[in-house]
Amino acid sequence: MNFQDCCEEIANEVKSAIIPYVGRPEAAEFIRQGADGTPTKKIDQIAEDIVIRYLKEKKICSMVISEEAGCEEIGGKSGTIYLDPVDGTHNAITGNPFYALSIAFAEDGVIKKAYVKDLAHGESFYAEKDKGAFCNGIKVKVSDTEFLDKSTISVYGKKFDPETIVKIGEKIRRWRLYGASALELCYVGCARLDGFIDLRNTLRVTDAAAGMLFCKEAGGTVTDKCGRPIQFSDDVSRGECLIATNGLIHKKTIEYLR
């Protein structure tokens, strides 16, 4: 079975398991402190257990790096899976329909395949390095928006340091904030957003790996806040800032963020 089909099986199992908890208080039950330094909620743990068990049984990779468990050797084939079992945990807990399963496969430090499943609406986002990006099997590309004042961008900033995002917020046409970075990166790839900005310095490799490849394969540009190639650590307690756009507005976006 290929990577995409395996991911679909995983997503179906995860969705069935977490649906009874979505929008319910028990979903937010504290289980433990996650490897990323944030609380692992019950809904996260349920989803992660399903994915890691599947990966072990199918021997899909030799290592899993997950937001909750951290780095775990699982004794399978070569390669690393970057996993966010529920991207947008708060949305799932509160019943807001914008949360996803995010899985990226890497070999020799390079992300080769990416899969993001919108668990609320059922959409599947898949990308393979140098082979394009697909939403529900249909090839997609980024928007052709050329000007910031015509753009729609999802913007995250530090709540105690709003000056930078206010500056660019005054320039762009529409400001969005959905709360699930993997999906938002895919939305840039699908031309539903012209850009995604995260200046919190808390975005982890597990949050971004799959969405980044999808965005790039759809023709987008992904960098750090200074416009340089972004480098994530495999240590999930360390975060970064990230700027993703359709490419056409990237230079101007960076200029305003400076």
Side-chain angles (χ1 to χ4, degrees), residues 24 43 127 193 250:
R24 299 181 64 85
I43 199 168
L193 289 170
H250 206 83

Side-chain angles (χ1 to χ4, degrees), residues 1-13:
M1 187 180 297
N2 65 32
F3 177 77
Q4 187 177 4
D5 290 339
C6 287
C7 289
E8 286 287 350
E9 282 196 349
I10 292 170
N12 289 336
E13 190 173 345

Side-chain angles (χ1 to χ4, degrees), residues 43 56 76 79 93 118 160-161 168 194 252:
I43 199 168
K56 286 179 177 178
I93 289 170
D118 183 336
F160 299 118
D161 183 22
I168 194 165
D194 301 306
K252 279 295 181 184

Side-chain angles (χ1 to χ4, degrees), residues 143-198:
S143 71
D144 58 4
T145 303
E146 297 183 73
F147 304 103
L148 281 179
D149 59 4
K150 302 293 185 183
S151 68
T152 301
I153 298 180
S154 182
V155 185
Y156 291 70
K158 293 181 179 179
K159 59 184 177 182
F160 299 118
D161 183 22
E163 184 177 341
T164 302
I165 60 170
V166 168
K167 185 177 179 182
I168 194 165
E170 291 173 343
K171 180 63 178 176
I172 63 180
R173 184 176 181 184
R174 298 180 182 91
W175 185 343
R176 300 286 185 262
L177 182 59
Y178 293 114
S181 54
L183 275 178
E184 286 162 287
L185 284 163
C186 290
Y187 272 30
V188 177
C190 290
R192 299 172 186 176
L193 289 170
D194 301 306
F196 170 73
I197 297 170
D198 194 325

Side-chain angles (χ1 to χ4, degrees), residues 64-112:
V64 178
I65 297 176
S66 176
E67 198 165 286
E68 313 305 332
C71 184
E72 183 175 338
E73 295 276 358
I74 63 172
K77 300 174 183 177
S78 63
T80 299
I81 290 286
Y82 292 98
L83 168 68
D84 190 345
V86 182
D87 178 53
T89 298
H90 183 72
N91 284 344
I93 289 170
T94 54
N96 286 301
F98 201 83
Y99 51 94
L101 166 69
S102 176
I103 304 174
F105 176 77
E107 286 182 310
D108 302 320
V110 178
I111 305 297
K112 299 291 185 68

